[in-house]
Amino acid sequence: MLGWGGAGLALGAAAAGGTAAALRVGDDASPSASTGDAVPFHGAHQAGISTPVQDRLHFASFDVTTTDRAALIKLLQEWTAAAAAMTAGHEVGAGAISANEELPPDDTGEALGLKPSRLTLTFGVGPGLFEKDGKDRFGLKARRPQALIDLPVFPKDNLDPARSGGDLCVQACADDPQVAVHAIRNLARIAMGRASIRWSQLGFGKTSSTTPDAQTPRNMMGFKDGTRNIAGDDTARLDKHVWVGEKDGPGWMVGGSYLVARRIRMHIETWDRTSLAEQEDVFGRDKSEGAPVGKQREHDEPLLKAMKPDAHVRLAHPDSNNGVTILRRGYSFTDGTDGLGRLDAGLFFIAYQRDVRDGFVPLQTNLARNDALNEYIQHVGSAVFAVPPGVRDKGDWWGKALFA
Amino acid sequence: MLGWGGAGLALGAAAAGGTAAALRVGDDASPSASTGDAVPFHGAHQAGISTPVQDRLHFASFDVTTTDRAALIKLLQEWTAAAAAMTAGHEVGAGAISANEELPPDDTGEALGLKPSRLTLTFGVGPGLFEKDGKDRFGLKARRPQALIDLPVFPKDNLDPARSGGDLCVQACADDPQVAVHAIRNLARIAMGRASIRWSQLGFGKTSSTTPDAQTPRNMMGFKDGTRNIAGDDTARLDKHVWVGEKDGPGWMVGGSYLVARRIRMHIETWDRTSLAEQEDVFGRDKSEGAPVGKQREHDEPLLKAMKPDAHVRLAHPDSNNGVTILRRGYSFTDGTDGLGRLDAGLFFIAYQRDVRDGFVPLQTNLARNDALNEYIQHVGSAVFAVPPGVRDKGDWWGKALFA
């Protein structure tokens, strides 16, 4: 993995010259000294999915508290305007230094003077927006995509409801945590009286990389994670596995994707007492280089038969799952210690896919039953969201087609 | 504040060529491609105090669980060796890829391939090491410095015992959070059976800067914080206010310092509803530039009389506290949301001083009684530690003089 020094610039340049389907529109992101590392907000797809992974995450799940459809729509319009401003490195509204100083500033100000830091804000809607407790809250029930299922309960799941679900989500990724935290905070503030944060998660460390040339980062177990992930310029695989196509429908989701988030706690102390041989058997890779069993280099084609039947890499491989492939975009987390002095740490797993039923669900069904890694991990949070296509222009907003 | 792109390299160069009192000894940190941003571990003072502030923090407080003095000494020796290795960018012990793969690796491995990232590990001992529940646990009671007082209870304190105190502490600072987290995790692992983590805190964002030329970062309230802090090359002020002198004693603390840590939660939602005028009155600075009331530039000499009597900057100024000056090294934190959907965010305040009785105690006594900021913040965690001088050479270890 590249260190801090040069990585930001290198990835920034890659993003600017990259092949992402984003389309710069309008002149709201006028050139300035500070916008060199901005990721375009407008485009066919939302940024933050195939965008080369940034260093930090602040993910927030919201409960919608208003029952008024018009108020919800207004919130989404205000969020979209704020997101376009913040990703371009600007402040929300009139900024932190408003003309009328007898009013609270529109922007909370802690990102003043910071660069855009490749901030992306990716928006999704959860099952509860379409129907909750049997109620069609916003007249959207008939528009729920079939692919937006309620996730089944998997073996060994130990989900905390307070860390699961949500009506709306925003995934904020940036190379500067203060920029990511600032974005979620200001969106939460805008939402006041209409939606409130249900849970949020900070993450760090690029545990999976969508940047082909960067070295694969290591997870909290010390292993390289995400070696065979889908990269941002692989449009064939993105179209096949990630973006909702015209045939998939519904229309308002074409160009979008489905997001599964899982908070996966690692039993760090147990893992740390496990022999190197056992650790390598569990993953099916060697720890140093990350090479598959019997191979020399990380990116060598894995020989699945050479691995133990319950090795993680073998079980997660498309060949063991009828070709199932997802785009992973997870981050490591460390949320202090639990009451027993154990590190509350692990992987905040985020996956994007064209259809959850052909992606995460069969994959996790297989892994939850058979993966040797299960002895050392536990899924403690879970959520699924439909992520609409990108905001096309200034007249467009998050979810506009859904409410049309 | 500099963005991610160039800041790491720039600060790394500053550290390497800086004027800190650190002294490179031995050849255990042999030059390699990856050690360009290492901060020397050995020296007259511990690194991590006057060292230019790194971007990330992982602070851990430990309870000593062994009752055996020899076991405690062995732990400190093992910790010192591990700290020297990790700050130089090396792994702990035989590393993550041990020769005997039937044993657990010595190092957990998640920092393999990462740069030293200016990691510093700063060690301290709390009051409980000298006496706990009336017991002289390790024969150290007579060696307790008079300056290491139990902090008084301040007005409006709302301290959580689970986030306060501790027998030992390690402050890990680095430009890469994975490096800081890796360091604390491996120290906790080494401590197994002898000490365990009581509480820990992650932080980000350089809320105060000891780097004179860098722009002053903003805290979570959107204001520049730490404008008049002591900088790393100001040896006169460091000697006067930070380092324990020969006349101060005890001998084992000469060249050391005293650390006060306070977890200060900000009532973010209330603050965000406050007018710009009120916010600026509370701080005594303008929000945009950070200039003191009536002045133009951030670093202009403040005219205290021009500020409201309860303005934070006025009350915290040495002129309002008989010259009291501390070195601040705090970090912003965001630990998700509380049960009410409010952001659990604020400042993890860290201060170093020559004597707590002449530093934090009088200052906080004044602030806790009078500061306008108190309406928007609450102290929810607290700890104090004696930070010994630096480890001089390979034969030395954290606290050796204390146990001599």
Side-chain angles (χ1 to χ4, degrees), chain B residues 87-111:
Chain B
T87 53
H90 302 306
E91 293 181 76
V92 171
I97 318 300
S98 49
N100 183 347
E101 66 166 22
E102 298 309 318
L103 294 177
D106 284 349
D107 188 291
T108 56
E110 74 270 25

PDB file of all heavy atoms in Angstrom, chain B residues 87-111:
ATOM      1  N   THR B  87       8.185   2.068  15.710  1.00  0.00           N
ATOM      2  CA  THR B  87       8.374   3.464  15.292  1.00  0.00           C
ATOM      3  C   THR B  87       9.391   3.564  14.164  1.00  0.00           C
ATOM      4  O   THR B  87       9.374   4.511  13.390  1.00  0.00           O
ATOM      5  CB  THR B  87       8.799   4.350  16.474  1.00  0.00           C
ATOM      6  OG1 THR B  87       9.939   3.771  17.112  1.00  0.00           O
ATOM      7  CG2 THR B  87       7.678   4.481  17.486  1.00  0.00           C
ATOM      8  N   ALA B  88      10.286   2.580  14.070  1.00  0.00           N
ATOM      9  CA  ALA B  88      11.257   2.564  12.967  1.00  0.00           C
ATOM     10  C   ALA B  88      10.685   1.902  11.719  1.00  0.00           C
ATOM     11  O   ALA B  88      11.385   1.775  10.709  1.00  0.00           O
ATOM     12  CB  ALA B  88      12.523   1.832  13.401  1.00  0.00           C
ATOM     13  N   GLY B  89       9.436   1.468  11.787  1.00  0.00           N
ATOM     14  CA  GLY B  89       8.805   0.861  10.621  1.00  0.00           C
ATOM     15  C   GLY B  89       9.013  -0.637  10.543  1.00  0.00           C
ATOM     16  O   GLY B  89       8.689  -1.260   9.526  1.00  0.00           O
ATOM     17  N   HIS B  90       9.553  -1.223  11.614  1.00  0.00           N
ATOM     18  CA  HIS B  90       9.759  -2.673  11.632  1.00  0.00           C
ATOM     19  C   HIS B  90       8.591  -3.363  12.326  1.00  0.00           C
ATOM     20  O   HIS B  90       7.794  -2.733  13.020  1.00  0.00           O
ATOM     21  CB  HIS B  90      11.065  -3.006  12.355  1.00  0.00           C
ATOM     22  CG  HIS B  90      12.263  -2.358  11.742  1.00  0.00           C
ATOM     23  ND1 HIS B  90      12.578  -2.498  10.418  1.00  0.00           N
ATOM     24  CD2 HIS B  90      13.198  -1.529  12.273  1.00  0.00           C
ATOM     25  CE1 HIS B  90      13.677  -1.812  10.146  1.00  0.00           C
ATOM     26  NE2 HIS B  90      14.067  -1.194  11.255  1.00  0.00           N
ATOM     27  N   GLU B  91       8.543  -4.672  12.187  1.00  0.00           N
ATOM     28  CA  GLU B  91       7.526  -5.440  12.894  1.00  0.00           C
ATOM     29  C   GLU B  91       8.004  -5.803  14.287  1.00  0.00           C
ATOM     30  O   GLU B  91       9.190  -5.702  14.616  1.00  0.00           O
ATOM     31  CB  GLU B  91       7.208  -6.711  12.104  1.00  0.00           C
ATOM     32  CG  GLU B  91       6.529  -6.418  10.771  1.00  0.00           C
ATOM     33  CD  GLU B  91       6.229  -7.697  10.045  1.00  0.00           C
ATOM     34  OE1 GLU B  91       5.271  -8.385  10.427  1.00  0.00           O
ATOM     35  OE2 GLU B  91       6.956  -8.023   9.099  1.00  0.00           O
ATOM     36  N   VAL B  92       7.085  -6.252  15.100  1.00  0.00           N
ATOM     37  CA  VAL B  92       7.409  -6.692  16.454  1.00  0.00           C
ATOM     38  C   VAL B  92       8.072  -8.072  16.392  1.00  0.00           C
ATOM     39  O   VAL B  92       7.627  -8.948  15.640  1.00  0.00           O
ATOM     40  CB  VAL B  92       6.134  -6.769  17.307  1.00  0.00           C
ATOM     41  CG1 VAL B  92       6.406  -7.439  18.643  1.00  0.00           C
ATOM     42  CG2 VAL B  92       5.552  -5.380  17.514  1.00  0.00           C
ATOM     43  N   GLY B  93       9.120  -8.250  17.183  1.00  0.00           N
ATOM     44  CA  GLY B  93       9.758  -9.569  17.345  1.00  0.00           C
ATOM     45  C   GLY B  93      10.194 -10.159  16.020  1.00  0.00           C
ATOM     46  O   GLY B  93      10.831  -9.514  15.203  1.00  0.00           O
ATOM     47  N   ALA B  94       9.836 -11.431  15.797  1.00  0.00           N
ATOM     48  CA  ALA B  94      10.220 -12.112  14.561  1.00  0.00           C
ATOM     49  C   ALA B  94       9.287 -11.759  13.401  1.00  0.00           C
ATOM     50  O   ALA B  94       9.437 -12.294  12.316  1.00  0.00           O
ATOM     51  CB  ALA B  94      10.228 -13.621  14.789  1.00  0.00           C
ATOM     52  N   GLY B  95       8.313 -10.875  13.660  1.00  0.00           N
ATOM     53  CA  GLY B  95       7.460 -10.398  12.576  1.00  0.00           C
ATOM     54  C   GLY B  95       6.202 -11.215  12.389  1.00  0.00           C
ATOM     55  O   GLY B  95       5.860 -12.070  13.216  1.00  0.00           O
ATOM     56  N   ALA B  96       5.508 -10.926  11.309  1.00  0.00           N
ATOM     57  CA  ALA B  96       4.238 -11.593  11.022  1.00  0.00           C
ATOM     58  C   ALA B  96       4.465 -12.930  10.326  1.00  0.00           C
ATOM     59  O   ALA B  96       3.551 -13.742  10.231  1.00  0.00           O
ATOM     60  CB  ALA B  96       3.372 -10.698  10.155  1.00  0.00           C
ATOM     61  N   ILE B  97       5.672 -13.126   9.818  1.00  0.00           N
ATOM     62  CA  ILE B  97       5.973 -14.347   9.069  1.00  0.00           C
ATOM     63  C   ILE B  97       7.061 -15.082   9.840  1.00  0.00           C
ATOM     64  O   ILE B  97       8.232 -15.062   9.491  1.00  0.00           O
ATOM     65  CB  ILE B  97       6.453 -14.005   7.635  1.00  0.00           C
ATOM     66  CG1 ILE B  97       5.607 -12.887   7.030  1.00  0.00           C
ATOM     67  CG2 ILE B  97       6.449 -15.244   6.762  1.00  0.00           C
ATOM     68  CD1 ILE B  97       4.121 -13.201   6.916  1.00  0.00           C
ATOM     69  N   SER B  98       6.685 -15.694  10.940  1.00  0.00           N
ATOM     70  CA  SER B  98       7.676 -16.314  11.814  1.00  0.00           C
ATOM     71  C   SER B  98       8.247 -17.556  11.152  1.00  0.00           C
ATOM     72  O   SER B  98       7.623 -18.175  10.291  1.00  0.00           O
ATOM     73  CB  SER B  98       7.022 -16.665  13.155  1.00  0.00           C
ATOM     74  OG  SER B  98       5.817 -17.355  12.951  1.00  0.00           O
ATOM     75  N   ALA B  99       9.458 -17.918  11.576  1.00  0.00           N
ATOM     76  CA  ALA B  99      10.124 -19.094  11.006  1.00  0.00           C
ATOM     77  C   ALA B  99       9.343 -20.363  11.348  1.00  0.00           C
ATOM     78  O   ALA B  99       9.214 -21.264  10.536  1.00  0.00           O
ATOM     79  CB  ALA B  99      11.548 -19.193  11.539  1.00  0.00           C
ATOM     80  N   ASN B 100       8.809 -20.408  12.564  1.00  0.00           N
ATOM     81  CA  ASN B 100       8.029 -21.578  12.975  1.00  0.00           C
ATOM     82  C   ASN B 100       6.552 -21.294  12.751  1.00  0.00           C
ATOM     83  O   ASN B 100       5.913 -20.606  13.542  1.00  0.00           O
ATOM     84  CB  ASN B 100       8.284 -21.888  14.445  1.00  0.00           C
ATOM     85  CG  ASN B 100       7.554 -23.148  14.878  1.00  0.00           C
ATOM     86  OD1 ASN B 100       6.684 -23.660  14.161  1.00  0.00           O
ATOM     87  ND2 ASN B 100       7.895 -23.641  16.050  1.00  0.00           N
ATOM     88  N   GLU B 101       6.025 -21.834  11.687  1.00  0.00           N
ATOM     89  CA  GLU B 101       4.653 -21.469  11.344  1.00  0.00           C
ATOM     90  C   GLU B 101       3.608 -22.200  12.170  1.00  0.00           C
ATOM     91  O   GLU B 101       2.425 -21.985  11.996  1.00  0.00           O
ATOM     92  CB  GLU B 101       4.393 -21.632   9.848  1.00  0.00           C
ATOM     93  CG  GLU B 101       4.432 -23.040   9.335  1.00  0.00           C
ATOM     94  CD  GLU B 101       3.834 -23.134   7.933  1.00  0.00           C
ATOM     95  OE1 GLU B 101       3.783 -22.097   7.224  1.00  0.00           O
ATOM     96  OE2 GLU B 101       3.405 -24.211   7.565  1.00  0.00           O
ATOM     97  N   GLU B 102       4.090 -23.063  13.083  1.00  0.00           N
ATOM     98  CA  GLU B 102       3.134 -23.688  14.004  1.00  0.00           C
ATOM     99  C   GLU B 102       2.837 -22.779  15.197  1.00  0.00           C
ATOM    100  O   GLU B 102       1.995 -23.101  16.028  1.00  0.00           O
ATOM    101  CB  GLU B 102       3.664 -25.048  14.493  1.00  0.00           C
ATOM    102  CG  GLU B 102       3.869 -26.059  13.371  1.00  0.00           C
ATOM    103  CD  GLU B 102       2.643 -26.215  12.473  1.00  0.00           C
ATOM    104  OE1 GLU B 102       1.518 -26.250  12.999  1.00  0.00           O
ATOM    105  OE2 GLU B 102       2.812 -26.255  11.233  1.00  0.00           O
ATOM    106  N   LEU B 103       3.543 -21.661  15.276  1.00  0.00           N
ATOM    107  CA  LEU B 103       3.292 -20.692  16.353  1.00  0.00           C
ATOM    108  C   LEU B 103       2.548 -19.486  15.797  1.00  0.00           C
ATOM    109  O   LEU B 103       2.641 -19.178  14.608  1.00  0.00           O
ATOM    110  CB  LEU B 103       4.622 -20.219  16.952  1.00  0.00           C
ATOM    111  CG  LEU B 103       5.446 -21.268  17.694  1.00  0.00           C
ATOM    112  CD1 LEU B 103       6.765 -20.656  18.155  1.00  0.00           C
ATOM    113  CD2 LEU B 103       4.662 -21.835  18.873  1.00  0.00           C
ATOM    114  N   PRO B 104       1.827 -18.771  16.675  1.00  0.00           N
ATOM    115  CA  PRO B 104       1.248 -17.505  16.218  1.00  0.00           C
ATOM    116  C   PRO B 104       2.371 -16.539  15.862  1.00  0.00           C
ATOM    117  O   PRO B 104       3.412 -16.532  16.524  1.00  0.00           O
ATOM    118  CB  PRO B 104       0.471 -17.009  17.441  1.00  0.00           C
ATOM    119  CG  PRO B 104       0.315 -18.189  18.330  1.00  0.00           C
ATOM    120  CD  PRO B 104       1.491 -19.075  18.073  1.00  0.00           C
ATOM    121  N   PRO B 105       2.187 -15.696  14.851  1.00  0.00           N
ATOM    122  CA  PRO B 105       3.221 -14.708  14.513  1.00  0.00           C
ATOM    123  C   PRO B 105       3.415 -13.727  15.676  1.00  0.00           C
ATOM    124  O   PRO B 105       2.491 -13.468  16.440  1.00  0.00           O
ATOM    125  CB  PRO B 105       2.633 -13.996  13.298  1.00  0.00           C
ATOM    126  CG  PRO B 105       1.567 -14.899  12.763  1.00  0.00           C
ATOM    127  CD  PRO B 105       1.046 -15.661  13.940  1.00  0.00           C
ATOM    128  N   ASP B 106       4.643 -13.210  15.807  1.00  0.00           N
ATOM    129  CA  ASP B 106       4.903 -12.206  16.841  1.00  0.00           C
ATOM    130  C   ASP B 106       4.171 -10.901  16.548  1.00  0.00           C
ATOM    131  O   ASP B 106       3.766 -10.182  17.459  1.00  0.00           O
ATOM    132  CB  ASP B 106       6.405 -11.910  16.930  1.00  0.00           C
ATOM    133  CG  ASP B 106       7.151 -13.028  17.651  1.00  0.00           C
ATOM    134  OD1 ASP B 106       6.477 -13.894  18.252  1.00  0.00           O
ATOM    135  OD2 ASP B 106       8.385 -13.030  17.612  1.00  0.00           O
ATOM    136  N   ASP B 107       4.052 -10.584  15.262  1.00  0.00           N
ATOM    137  CA  ASP B 107       3.406  -9.332  14.855  1.00  0.00           C
ATOM    138  C   ASP B 107       2.110  -9.671  14.131  1.00  0.00           C
ATOM    139  O   ASP B 107       2.048 -10.636  13.365  1.00  0.00           O
ATOM    140  CB  ASP B 107       4.338  -8.534  13.932  1.00  0.00           C
ATOM    141  CG  ASP B 107       3.823  -7.141  13.628  1.00  0.00           C
ATOM    142  OD1 ASP B 107       2.801  -6.999  12.901  1.00  0.00           O
ATOM    143  OD2 ASP B 107       4.423  -6.178  14.130  1.00  0.00           O
ATOM    144  N   THR B 108       1.077  -8.857  14.363  1.00  0.00           N
ATOM    145  CA  THR B 108      -0.230  -9.185  13.791  1.00  0.00           C
ATOM    146  C   THR B 108      -0.302  -8.914  12.291  1.00  0.00           C
ATOM    147  O   THR B 108      -1.216  -9.393  11.633  1.00  0.00           O
ATOM    148  CB  THR B 108      -1.327  -8.392  14.508  1.00  0.00           C
ATOM    149  OG1 THR B 108      -1.019  -6.999  14.434  1.00  0.00           O
ATOM    150  CG2 THR B 108      -1.416  -8.806  15.965  1.00  0.00           C
ATOM    151  N   GLY B 109       0.616  -8.116  11.758  1.00  0.00           N
ATOM    152  CA  GLY B 109       0.816  -8.078  10.316  1.00  0.00           C
ATOM    153  C   GLY B 109       0.084  -7.030   9.515  1.00  0.00           C
ATOM    154  O   GLY B 109       0.388  -6.826   8.347  1.00  0.00           O
ATOM    155  N   GLU B 110      -0.884  -6.323  10.122  1.00  0.00           N
ATOM    156  CA  GLU B 110      -1.665  -5.423   9.263  1.00  0.00           C
ATOM    157  C   GLU B 110      -0.917  -4.162   8.865  1.00  0.00           C
ATOM    158  O   GLU B 110      -1.416  -3.396   8.033  1.00  0.00           O
ATOM    159  CB  GLU B 110      -3.019  -5.090   9.908  1.00  0.00           C
ATOM    160  CG  GLU B 110      -2.980  -4.127  11.071  1.00  0.00           C
ATOM    161  CD  GLU B 110      -2.800  -4.857  12.390  1.00  0.00           C
ATOM    162  OE1 GLU B 110      -2.250  -5.975  12.391  1.00  0.00           O
ATOM    163  OE2 GLU B 110      -3.196  -4.286  13.421  1.00  0.00           O
ATOM    164  N   ALA B 111       0.285  -3.937   9.426  1.00  0.00           N
ATOM    165  CA  ALA B 111       1.079  -2.780   8.991  1.00  0.00           C
ATOM    166  C   ALA B 111       2.208  -3.179   8.050  1.00  0.00           C
ATOM    167  O   ALA B 111       3.018  -2.336   7.663  1.00  0.00           O
ATOM    168  CB  ALA B 111       1.644  -2.038  10.210  1.00  0.00           C
TER     169      ALA B 111
END
